[in-house]
Amino acid sequence: MAAPPTPDPTLLAGGPAGPRALRPLVETVLAALADGAAARCGPLPRGGPDAVTRRLLTRYGAALPAQGTGAHDALHSLVTALAEGAADPADPHCAAHLHAPPLAVAAAADLAAAALNPSMDSWDQAPAASVLERHLTGALAALVHPAGPAPDALVTTGGTEANLLGALLARERLGPRLTLVCGANAHHSVRRAAWLLGLPAPLVLPTPTGALDPGAVAAALDRLDAAGAARALVVATAGTTDAGLIDPLPGLADALAAHRARGAAALHVDAAYGGPLLLSDAHRAKVAGLDRADSVTLDLHKLGWQPVAAGLLTVPDTAWLAALTQRADYLNAEDDTEAGLPDLLGRSLRTTRRPDILKIAVTIRALGTTGLAALVDSVCDAARALAALVAAEPRLTLWARPTISTVLFRPAGAADEQVAAIRRRLLAEGRAVLGRACALDAAGRPALWLKATLLNPQAQHSDLAALIKLVLDQADHTTEPEHPEHESPAKDGSR
Ligand SMILES: *Cc1c(COP(=O)(O)O)cnc(C)c1O
């Protein structure tokens, strides 16, 4: 028989000794975060992929060492390396994607989630966490579907899983031969959902303006009808990934009405980005019509400032979720359920599942819906301010006034290759993280744009002005080859 383990009160995160074990480790983590950020001193590490790989692997050493270095050394070396090599969304010049700087209060709540480790697939692993989840998902769903008979929401890993679930629930309600109808502006996860679910290829409608045209959707539904494939799920977007545009939701809901009356069509709105505008008095009107959707995707790791992951799928009627019911004797035996143990297994496609609801609940309690709305307003204001700076600068072209917090712009008269090169140089030099998007220019020609997705509620006017200056400085240099050591001048498209 093996000797019994020696008690080590510093081994586990939970239990009465957990906090004492965690405190010094958390101090080490915090010191490493500070050291890493100081070493990086910018929105992302300098030198591009090769330099980052070299630095990280030098620090890391063997991936599977036989002898450990101990908790403090491991935490300090790896957290420092990760922070030094991070693209940090808390830096106002890190603005490429819907990649939010998490709130400190939410990150702190996530520590508690990790320490307690409830798993949301059965009541006996998450007694209180499951109550919290039911309570808050119901309230969030009621915000989206105020007239729904029994609004409810499922917690997901993000917009991708929520869109998949939305398509799955529609297929279960409308029947297996379901065609997704979406715009070219829809998120790529919509096409993936159709593929995963074995649905016919989605009908993707062109969106030259960046948003879906209700007339085109009505015509597409008629065409499907005529072809005998009448069951359709229209997927609209409230906050496109490229431009932050919002499809005309009331017009789309109207266009669907005739088909919907025959039970042949449903509306899913992917509001992964724009959903939280609902909280804001200043911006709520932009998502009017969201309440007419049959399901809605929300992503609180975008305009909700949560650490990843914090997605939701909301529905007006909890009964629609019954399609996800699963029986597994070890988790929800029928007699357990009859005896009153809540059955949680049907609340996700996953089994073991983190209590992502905790950080969301803590955030909303800490800030209130008004506090969260103020953050939404501040990033929308920042986008307006950035757009105004761009519009006032003759060397830059603004794509359009921002709808949410995305600003597309490009150096006036630049070739697409120059625009792409500016973005890559800013990345390589560690100066700024800007995104890229294709959209029609004023003459109706497709062009490549720089994309600033503003999600930092602390960004100052001076940060925005400095970002513009960085782009202008790079634009002045784009006549030089991007990789002088690899590329001959003749191959440089900017010449
Ligand atoms: C971000 C985004 C998604 C995907 O969400 P993930 O959380 O990355 O899975 C889907 N749709 C839209 C419109 C998005 O902006």
Side-chain angles (χ1 to χ4, degrees):
M1 233 174 53
T6 332
D8 176 359
T10 67
L11 191 66
L12 301 181
R20 237 175 311 133
L22 275 173
R23 187 167 287 118
L25 299 177
V26 169
E27 286 297 339
T28 297
V29 167
L30 298 179
L33 286 174
D35 291 352
R40 184 185 67 237
C41 73
L44 84 163
R46 266 187 217 110
D50 290 348
V52 171
T53 305
R54 222 176 306 119
R55 271 198 300 269
L56 186 99
L57 294 183
T58 310
R59 291 273 175 78
Y60 194 4
L64 300 172
Q67 299 301 320
T69 59
H72 286 279
D73 173 84
L75 279 170
H76 193 266
S77 60
L78 283 184
V79 174
T80 305
L82 215 66
E84 182 178 355
D88 186 354
D91 187 298
H93 291 168
C94 185
H97 302 287
L98 286 159
H99 174 204
L103 299 175
V105 66
D110 230 9
L111 174 64
L116 291 166
N117 212 25
S119 180
M120 308 302 287
D121 47 324
S122 66
W123 186 86
D124 56 4
Q125 299 175 85
S130 60
V131 178
L132 184 66
E133 186 179 283
R134 282 307 276 261
H135 191 59
L136 184 51
T137 50
L140 287 168
L143 271 181
V144 181
H145 312 277
D152 200 355
L154 299 179
V155 177
T156 71
T157 51
T160 302
E161 188 192 350
N163 285 341
L164 173 66
L165 269 172
L168 172 63
L169 294 177
R171 186 192 72 182
E172 295 306 298
R173 291 212 332 283
L174 298 180
R177 294 295 300 169
L178 180 73
T179 303
L180 302 192
V181 178
C182 65
N185 63 352
H187 192 259
H188 64 82
S189 59
V190 173
R191 284 177 304 251
R192 238 187 200 187
W195 169 71
L196 266 168
L197 295 171
L199 301 177
L203 198 54
V204 181
L205 305 175
T207 48
T209 63
L212 257 180
D213 168 19
V217 169
L221 290 173
D222 289 342
R223 277 203 308 281
L224 281 175
D225 239 353
R231 317 257 152 203
L233 176 68
V234 175
V235 179
T237 311
T240 60
T241 311
D242 275 353
L245 296 184
I246 298 170
D247 287 337
L249 304 179
L252 289 168
D254 290 344
L256 240 87
H259 298 261
R260 190 196 274 288
R262 284 182 283 109
L267 177 64
H268 172 77
V269 179
D270 177 356
Y273 181 11
L277 297 184
L278 266 180
L279 298 173
S280 159
D281 290 340
H283 298 286
R284 185 175 302 118
K286 294 177 182 169
V287 286
L290 205 54
D291 56 335
R292 295 174 67 184
D294 298 287
S295 53
V296 173
T297 288
L298 299 178
D299 230 349
L300 295 179
H301 55 235
K302 293 176 175 172
L303 285 184
W305 295 278
Q306 296 301 298
V308 174
L312 292 158
L313 177 82
T314 68
V315 291
D317 190 349
T318 188
W320 295 358
L321 305 178
L324 299 174
T325 299
Q326 277 290 320
R327 235 350 123 192
D329 249 2
Y330 75 109
L331 293 171
N332 60 354
E334 224 165 308
D335 55 315
D336 275 352
T337 307
E338 271 161 25
L341 290 184
D343 173 4
L344 308 179
L345 197 52
R347 295 193 62 80
S348 179
L349 292 174
R350 291 173 281 159
T351 306
T352 301
R353 185 159 66 81
R354 283 172 55 83
D356 287 318
I357 203 68
L358 176 62
K359 62 198 173 195
I360 302 172
V362 168
T363 299
I364 295 175
R365 187 176 168 106
L367 276 68
T369 54
T370 320
L372 213 46
L375 297 183
V376 171
D377 291 350
S378 77
V379 296
C380 293
D381 288 349
R384 258 191 301 220
L386 180 66
L389 288 173
V390 170
E393 171 52 66
R395 288 173 290 169
L396 296 175
T397 304
L398 177 69
W399 183 68
R401 286 167 48 103
T403 303
I404 307 178
S405 69
T406 302
V407 181
L408 301 186
F409 63 104
R410 67 202 312 274
D416 284 355
E417 295 74 24
Q418 279 174 285
V419 175
I422 290 170
R423 186 183 101 87
R424 283 192 295 264
R425 275 172 203 271
L426 289 169
L427 289 177
E429 293 175 9
R431 291 179 194 278
V433 192
L434 287 173
R436 52 185 284 165
C438 287
L440 298 186
D441 65 13
R445 279 185 301 259
L448 187 65
W449 300 79
L450 294 170
K451 174 172 85 163
T453 311
L454 301 185
L455 288 186
N456 189 326
Q458 298 273 289
Q460 303 294 310
H461 199 270
S462 56
D463 298 319
L464 305 175
L467 185 61
I468 297 228
K469 182 162 185 316
L470 281 173
V471 170
L472 288 172
D473 288 350
Q474 287 297 333
D476 288 343
H477 290 117
T478 47
T479 46
E480 293 159 26
E482 199 175 339
H483 297 291
E485 69 276 25
H486 299 314
E487 231 169 335
S488 71
K491 272 170 62 193
D492 186 346
S494 64
R495 298 198 162 210

